[in-house]
Amino acid sequence: MYTLLLKEFQLELRRKSVLSGLALYLISTIFICYLTFSLRNNQITPLVWSALFWIIILFTAVSTVAKSFIGEKKGKEIYYYSIVKPEAVILSKIIYNFILCALLSFTGLVLFILFLKNPIQDLLLFVLLLLLTSFGLSSALTLLSGIAAKANNSSILMSILGFPAVLSILLMAIKISKNSIDGLDRSVSWDDLLVLAAINCISTALSYLLFPYIWRS
Amino acid sequence: MRKSWWKIVCVILLIYTVVGGFLFAVPRLNIVNETIRVLYFHVPMWFGMIALFLFSLIYAVSYLRTNKLEYDMASNELAHVGVMFGLLGIFSGMIWANYAWGSPWHGDAKQNGSAISTLAYLIYFVLRGSLNNEEQRARFSAVYNIFAFAVMIPLIFIYPRMVDSLHPGNGGNPGFNTYDLDSRMRMVFYPACIGWILLGFWIATIRIRARFIEETILDQENE
């Protein structure tokens, strides 16, 4: 499993274009927001800020995770199939996607604070939330991208398959981010964080259990 | 005749529900008034939907264990009927909300949650449509079915309880518990639930048999 994880990183470093493409995507979307909202001062309320932030993070995460299976070549899968267990494959992909998503969302956060204002009062909570959300997104979407990769028109299917899973994660995330923007006491958002962590556990367990069935074909 | 007793029970219960639901006396509550009768039709829809989805899930799991295509077929048809029940539940709720809340769609937590979970199952059909290989389709849709069920449970049961909601039974609004005390409503409500659930499974079995016949005919034509 560690070797698989290592292999994912090496592959990624070798294909610099994809990673830099994602980073550029993030930067350009944030820059568009900046340009739009710089037309008039004080237009960006905290709620607008969090809506923009989550939309951008969501689309970046979807396009990050989507390539994890769609990018793989046919022959390589058979090769993996013969040497490693499917559980190892899915876990390594989830961890890898999680690290990638977390990196991208932190970059997004820094850029947001740089270009648009920083309305967050409780930054530590927000960072914790970002970590949890990126883990949830990567665990749910990795399994679904495995399904979508096998189907026709996989890129369209990917975004709609992910929709219900992502929505339940984002519902919690938006609520907690509102709490952290308002600087409410930590105890208020503690329950929501727990629910988010529980959703993460469920989706990881499901991916772990169900992936062998997808992998077999 | 031995096998059809539950269908007869279903018809009798539903006739009783419709007659009793519209004619029997109901308690008078503020605002809700006579619209309380929607309880006999709206709430059983959700029970029926959850029961159907649960069986769809069970068939999906048993497909993954045994690889028999009949299980996949059953799972698909049960999900179809479940979505139908879900849509009816949403629509009956919208009709009620139009009178009780003033507009059909209030963005209430329960409405949003049920809309999203219905969408999750609609996506299940899209997924089935976009896979051509029969065995692959069966396996992937079974996997997604389990996933959709896991998404539905928090959206319907947990999320609405965490936020404020206008829906009866939430946030101090008159709800199930107050009706529970009223034995007049219970007399109709429990039979209604059983009747609607039985109707759901009846439709599902007919659909499964129809699909089975279709497949057999197709197989024979191909040979």
Side-chain angles (χ1 to χ4, degrees):
Chain A
M1 207 187 104
Y2 296 110
T3 39
L4 269 178
L5 196 60
L6 214 65
K7 163 244 146 196
E8 291 278 351
F9 277 108
Q10 280 171 346
L11 259 183
E12 196 58 59
L13 288 177
R14 226 173 283 160
R15 295 181 298 176
K16 287 204 185 69
S17 61
V18 181
L19 194 59
S20 51
L22 281 171
L24 262 181
Y25 177 77
L26 194 66
I27 294 170
S28 52
T29 40
I30 294 173
F31 201 67
I32 289 169
C33 293
Y34 165 67
L35 288 179
T36 318
F37 282 98
S38 65
L39 290 178
R40 190 179 293 166
N41 280 335
N42 296 326
Q43 277 287 298
I44 210 157
T45 57
L47 273 181
V48 175
W49 190 93
S50 89
L52 281 175
F53 183 75
W54 286 116
I55 289 170
I56 289 173
I57 291 300
L58 171 64
F59 279 96
T60 322
V62 167
S63 45
T64 311
V65 180
K67 72 178 180 48
S68 66
F69 279 97
I70 295 169
E72 302 257 347
K73 290 195 190 74
K74 274 268 151 62
K76 227 196 293 175
E77 270 182 10
I78 299 167
Y79 175 59
Y80 289 154
Y81 184 60
S82 58
I83 55 169
V84 287
K85 277 204 277 184
E87 284 90 353
V89 176
I90 186 82
L91 280 184
S92 70
K93 285 221 189 255
I94 286 178
I95 294 170
Y96 165 73
N97 280 331
F98 161 60
I99 295 170
L100 207 60
C101 277
L103 270 179
L104 282 171
S105 51
F106 282 130
T107 323
L109 180 62
V110 171
L111 286 173
F112 253 76
I113 291 175
L114 204 66
F115 283 127
L116 311 162
K117 280 175 304 178
N118 175 18
I120 306 168
Q121 297 191 21
D122 195 343
L123 202 60
L124 195 66
L125 182 70
F126 201 79
V127 167
L128 187 64
L129 169 68
L130 268 185
L131 277 176
L132 275 176
T133 325
S134 34
F135 189 74
L137 287 178
S138 67
S139 65
L141 290 175
T142 307
L143 177 76
L144 295 173
S145 82
I147 296 179
K150 297 279 164 53
N152 313 333
N153 59 13
S154 49
S155 53
I156 302 171
L157 201 62
M158 175 68 207
S159 44
I160 58 164
L161 275 181
F163 169 76
V166 160
L167 222 82
S168 52
I169 295 171
L170 281 190
L171 270 176
M172 302 314 299
I174 289 165
K175 229 177 122 192
I176 304 169
S177 65
K178 193 191 147 285
N179 287 354
S180 71
I181 284 171
D182 291 347
L184 294 180
D185 195 53
R186 295 247 170 95
S187 59
V188 177
S189 26
W190 189 239
D191 278 350
D192 296 341
L193 274 177
L194 268 182
V195 170
L196 193 58
I199 293 175
N200 286 355
C201 287
I202 293 171
S203 59
T204 317
L206 272 180
S207 313
Y208 184 81
L209 287 175
L210 295 177
F211 185 70
Y213 296 105
I214 299 176
W215 189 237
R216 215 186 283 155
S217 56
Chain B
M1 202 61 191
R2 246 184 315 138
K3 274 185 181 170
S4 58
W5 63 270
W6 60 279
K7 291 171 188 171
I8 298 168
V9 169
C10 167
V11 172
I12 292 170
L13 283 178
L14 284 184
I15 290 172
Y16 171 71
T17 304
V18 172
V19 175
F22 283 114
L23 295 182
F24 286 5
V26 288
R28 303 246 145 241
L29 298 172
N30 279 335
I31 305 169
V32 182
N33 290 329
E34 284 287 328
T35 61
I36 202 171
R37 291 182 197 278
V38 85
L39 180 85
Y40 305 134
F41 305 97
H42 171 69
V43 182
M45 287 300 150
W46 299 114
F47 287 163
M49 182 192 82
I50 287 157
L52 286 162
F53 282 161
L54 186 69
F55 272 84
S56 175
L57 172 84
I58 291 169
Y59 275 112
V61 171
S62 43
Y63 171 75
L64 287 180
R65 294 176 73 99
T66 59
N67 277 331
K68 280 184 188 152
L69 278 175
E70 297 93 75
Y71 287 144
D72 172 58
M73 218 153 64
S75 171
N76 179 26
E77 297 303 333
L78 281 164
H80 267 281
V81 184
V83 165
M84 194 191 80
F85 266 61
L87 286 177
L88 281 176
I90 289 178
F91 287 137
S92 58
M94 277 164 74
I95 294 168
W96 177 79
N98 197 16
Y99 293 102
W101 295 345
S103 72
W105 199 268
H106 247 258
D108 197 68
K110 282 216 168 179
Q111 286 183 323
N112 289 339
S114 54
I116 295 165
S117 47
T118 313
L119 265 179
Y121 274 90
L122 287 175
I123 291 167
Y124 170 75
F125 304 134
V126 173
L127 175 68
R128 290 189 73 89
S130 61
L131 287 161
N132 292 327
N133 182 338
E134 203 172 51
E135 204 164 298
Q136 204 175 41
R137 176 175 66 203
R139 183 147 1 103
F140 285 11
S141 51
V143 168
Y144 184 76
N145 193 325
I146 298 169
F147 198 82
F149 194 82
V151 166
M152 182 192 80
I153 291 301
L155 277 175
I156 286 191
F157 289 108
I158 302 170
Y159 173 65
R161 282 174 175 68
M162 294 187 59
V163 291
D164 290 329
S165 169
L166 278 174
H167 194 283
N170 286 74
N173 289 306
F176 213 48
N177 289 330
T178 44
Y179 304 141
D180 255 2
L181 298 173
D182 198 309
S183 53
R184 283 176 300 174
M185 290 204 70
R186 240 197 291 186
M187 290 235 317
V188 184
F189 178 65
Y190 291 146
C193 287
I194 299 168
W196 287 114
I197 291 173
L198 285 180
L199 183 70
F201 281 99
W202 190 358
I203 298 171
T205 50
I206 290 171
R207 284 191 65 120
I208 291 168
R209 256 185 294 166
R211 178 55 69 90
F212 192 73
I213 293 166
E214 236 173 68
E215 299 273 320
T216 338
I217 291 170
L218 270 177
D219 281 349
Q220 280 171 353
E221 276 173 0
N222 285 339
E223 274 167 12

